[in-house]
Amino acid sequence: MERRQQEGNPSEGGEAKQRRRIDYDRILKLKSAMAGGREIELKFLASPAGLEAALSTPLLTPLRETQGDLQVSTYFDTPDCALQKAGFILRLREVGDRVTQTVKQEGASLERGEWETALDSPSLDLDQAAQTPLGEHLADADLRSQIGPIFTTRFTRRKAEVSFARAVIEVAIDQGEVIAGQARAPIFEIELELKSGRRSGLFALARKLATLAPVSFSLISKGERGYRLAEGVWGAPVKMTPPFLNAKMSAAEAFAAIAHGCLRQMMLNAPAFENGHEIEAVHQTRVAIRRLRAALALFRPLIADAVFPRLAADLKWLSNHLGATRDIDVLLTETVQPAIAREPDAPGLAELAAFIALRQTASRKILREAMNSPRCRKLLLNLVLWVEDGPWRRKALAVGEEPESLQSLLSRRLRSSRKKLAAKGEHLEALPEAELHDLRIRAKKLRYQAAFFDALANEGRAAKRYRSFVNALERIQESLGTVHDAEATAAFLEEQARKAVRQGESHNPLVLFAAGRLAGAHPDRAALVARAGKALAKALATKPFWTKL
């Protein structure tokens, strides 16, 4: 079953999009200036017990007797967070009587730009900050005058250097909190930073740690957590934000940016499961995985290496768990509960709702066990490291010839997908339910794939073609989705009701009666299929937007 609510609208409102915009054009222009100011760091989140378990492993022996230092960091920005929107973080950190000013430059990679300056007092030195790539923004006197404190972090850090697999790695354990006004968020983290040697050694240590201790890899920095806490949205469900790509990127760079964005969406939704937003958190996490799987399909000729099948299978495993819970959530909240609101005294509805609520609780328990399992933790870490340094990426970097451009790959792959959609959509009105469902899935996948390039198709003919194409695909998905949902809901209701009686969880025959009444409500199939046919014709008639990027 599918929820008819928009699954992360690619045409998300401009204000919401602007809040999260990272200007990758500017980042790419400044790339050469970042040499000598790079860091590569991996972060794990843990519970207090998880930190203790990590400390008990032989890997972290050097930290057991290490004394911690209190570190207080203040993050600065303009009231509208202009620095963050441009991909920068500006921070003052105090450790004892030492003060360090840091500029960090975010990007769609595990590597970040980092420039540190020792200061004599805890006051910003914007002249020093202007010597980094942030200087382009600090040249704006009005912006510069608005910079002030936004939030702080306060934590105790224990750290030590360890040698592992021909690399020297600084391991730090942080315990404390992020503070934004009256809002607080706890910090229980392990950070691994490569100091010298090979990146492969850092990645090997990360995999070993994840195997030995119940810790979860995260792409979400303290800084990003602080910004979201200050905005009042930390722990709320997070919708899709189209990645901000550059038309000059190689196909490999574009895939890495897209995959990074999908994984970030998954990780940003993790706290929502614990904050009373479980229904929407399930939905948005599932959308993030669907988007990632759509990206894997789009870029498959480039990325299909020996590791690919296992990762794809594990993603499908996690998606199936989320889907099972999502189906019950939708059935309860969008079919049964509205029916009770319309007819509160209808026979059997309350009993049916109670039974499905029990099923919902059981399904959530299974999902939580899956998401907290070693298999899921390992999957997320392996996905990130594969995107960053998998066999496909090393091969792409090693090849002497010019890497394939993003536009070249899009021309081949999106054109092929559109042809397959056209072939599937012939004589739409005569297609059986299974083939209509397959057509809907193809349209949805193509819509996800097109939506990745929202930021590139933002002007002129490309924008007009893109919007027409995506809107048509969305109408196909919605129309055929309504047809499919009616069939799936009916089958699911009847199955659940019979199960309730068969298993003795309900001896009330009115449960079957109520389920039968709800299952019998069917939309106008012919009208919906006809609407989908018109939308398909529109999508196929629209000239390719990807030729104008």
Side-chain angles (χ1 to χ4, degrees):
M1 278 177 288
E2 294 295 328
R3 187 179 182 183
R4 296 272 58 81
Q5 178 181 323
Q6 192 73 358
E7 295 182 339
N9 191 349
S11 56
E12 182 182 7
E15 182 181 350
K17 186 186 293 184
Q18 182 64 27
R19 281 202 305 269
R20 295 291 167 213
R21 180 177 290 275
I22 294 178
D23 191 344
Y24 285 113
D25 285 342
R26 220 176 276 274
I27 289 174
L28 289 170
K29 288 177 185 176
L30 295 170
K31 196 171 181 181
S32 62
M34 295 173 64
R38 307 292 285 172
E39 70 164 358
I40 179 166
E41 180 180 277
L42 305 180
K43 180 191 300 291
F44 291 88
L45 306 182
S47 65
L51 283 185
E52 290 304 316
L55 277 170
S56 70
T57 66
L59 291 176
L60 303 190
T61 299
L63 277 84
R64 290 177 194 166
E65 305 302 325
T66 302
Q67 293 297 312
D69 292 320
L70 176 64
Q71 304 201 2
V72 180
S73 299
T74 304
Y75 290 73
F76 293 82
D77 210 325
T78 63
D80 63 349
C81 301
L83 303 186
Q84 186 216 17
K85 290 171 185 173
F88 289 95
I89 282 181
L90 177 60
R91 179 188 78 196
L92 282 185
R93 175 165 288 174
E94 299 176 62
V95 184
D97 58 0
R98 303 191 308 277
V99 181
T100 304
Q101 177 175 281
T102 303
V103 174
K104 293 196 178 190
Q105 187 171 33
E106 304 288 348
S109 168
L110 292 179
E111 291 191 19
R112 299 186 297 180
E114 181 182 68
W115 299 266
E116 293 189 334
T117 305
L119 301 181
D120 295 328
S121 65
S123 299
L124 278 182
D125 187 336
L126 293 180
D127 290 335
Q128 285 289 340
Q131 304 306 308
T132 73
L134 181 59
E136 182 176 336
H137 299 273
L138 296 180
D140 183 334
D142 182 56
L143 179 148
R144 187 167 175 151
S145 69
Q146 296 181 55
I147 293 175
I150 302 294
F151 60 91
T152 62
T153 61
R154 186 181 182 89
F155 57 88
T156 299
R157 167 168 286 183
R158 286 182 281 175
K159 65 181 182 180
E161 287 190 350
V162 301
S163 296
F164 193 86
R166 303 177 70 178
V168 177
I169 300 155
E170 181 181 274
V171 182
I173 290 185
D174 297 339
Q175 294 177 265
E177 59 183 352
V178 184
I179 307 163
Q182 299 301 310
R184 300 285 192 276
I187 295 172
F188 295 101
E189 297 179 352
I190 301 173
E191 291 186 355
L192 311 179
E193 181 177 354
L194 182 65
K195 306 305 285 187
S196 65
R198 298 183 175 182
R199 296 198 320 166
S200 58
L202 174 67
F203 299 156
L205 178 61
R207 288 191 174 99
K208 188 71 172 177
L209 178 61
T211 300
L212 296 176
V215 295
S216 301
F217 181 78
S218 179
L219 291 168
I220 313 306
S221 67
K222 295 180 183 72
E224 181 162 9
R225 200 181 321 172
Y227 273 106
R228 296 188 67 82
L229 195 66
E231 193 179 345
V233 296
W234 175 251
V238 178
K239 290 187 176 183
M240 160 187 161
T241 300
F244 291 90
L245 306 174
N246 185 288
K248 296 178 182 178
M249 280 180 164
S250 69
E253 289 173 324
F255 170 72
I258 290 168
H260 192 273
C262 295
L263 290 163
R264 281 187 68 259
Q265 186 188 2
M266 289 176 62
M267 293 172 187
L268 281 169
N269 276 292
F273 282 85
E274 310 298 332
N275 286 358
H277 302 290
E278 193 160 13
I279 288 178
E280 189 63 13
V282 168
H283 177 49
Q284 293 303 332
T285 303
R286 189 183 183 206
V287 169
I289 291 178
R290 281 179 164 176
R291 292 177 63 223
L292 181 55
R293 293 178 71 190
L296 294 178
L298 178 63
F299 289 90
R300 184 178 181 122
L302 175 70
I303 62 177
D305 58 19
V307 181
F308 179 93
R310 186 182 73 245
L311 293 176
D314 281 347
L315 265 180
K316 186 175 182 180
W317 162 78
L318 183 56
S319 182
N320 287 344
H321 275 293
L322 288 158
T325 300
R326 179 66 181 160
D327 284 347
I328 297 175
D329 287 345
V330 172
L331 175 63
L332 187 60
T333 61
E334 297 190 11
T335 299
V336 178
Q337 289 175 350
I340 291 175
R342 291 192 304 269
E343 300 180 86
D345 298 323
L349 275 180
E351 291 83 356
L352 178 63
F355 171 73
I356 295 174
L358 289 174
R359 282 282 180 267
Q360 183 186 50
T361 299
S363 179
R364 286 182 177 179
K365 182 175 183 294
I366 293 170
L367 175 60
R368 283 174 179 267
E369 289 172 352
M371 294 186 71
N372 292 326
S373 68
R375 182 178 181 180
C376 186
R377 292 197 300 269
K378 183 179 179 181
L379 168 62
L380 293 181
L381 175 62
N382 284 340
L383 275 168
V384 172
L385 298 186
W386 173 75
V387 169
E388 186 77 12
D389 194 50
W392 75 271
R393 194 75 184 269
R394 295 195 295 272
K395 180 181 177 182
L397 292 172
V399 172
E401 62 193 45
E402 188 74 17
E404 182 174 17
S405 70
L406 173 59
Q407 192 169 62
S408 170
L409 183 138
L410 288 184
S411 294
R412 289 190 299 108
R413 299 294 289 167
L414 291 183
R415 183 173 63 245
S416 173
S417 294
R418 196 167 73 157
K419 283 183 178 179
K420 290 177 181 177
L421 188 68
K424 281 284 182 182
E426 291 182 2
H427 309 296
L428 197 64
E429 67 284 350
L431 291 179
E433 173 62 26
E435 291 189 37
L436 282 179
H437 178 59
D438 182 60
L439 178 66
R440 181 183 68 87
I441 294 299
R442 287 182 180 275
K444 179 193 293 186
K445 181 182 290 187
L446 186 52
R447 181 175 76 90
Y448 281 147
Q449 291 171 343
F452 291 137
F453 308 100
D454 178 279
L456 293 182
N458 58 3
E459 58 185 11
R461 281 182 288 179
K464 185 176 180 180
R465 293 178 183 182
Y466 168 79
R467 188 56 49 205
S468 175
F469 187 60
V470 168
N471 287 345
L473 293 174
E474 190 174 330
R475 290 195 298 275
I476 297 170
Q477 180 185 335
E478 288 179 349
S479 299
L480 297 185
T482 301
V483 173
H484 173 73
D485 284 1
E487 298 292 334
T489 297
F492 192 77
L493 275 167
E494 292 172 5
E495 176 192 355
Q496 295 300 314
R498 287 194 173 92
K499 190 179 293 184
V501 174
R502 186 169 62 249
Q503 295 179 355
E505 296 178 49
S506 174
H507 298 288
N508 188 346
L510 289 177
V511 169
L512 284 173
F513 174 75
R517 281 190 66 208
L518 292 178
H522 287 285
D524 187 341
R525 184 184 188 278
L528 288 165
V529 172
R531 183 172 184 263
K534 289 180 181 179
L536 177 60
K538 178 68 174 178
L540 298 177
T542 301
K543 292 183 178 180
F545 72 88
W546 50 88
T547 64
K548 297 298 178 182
L549 297 180

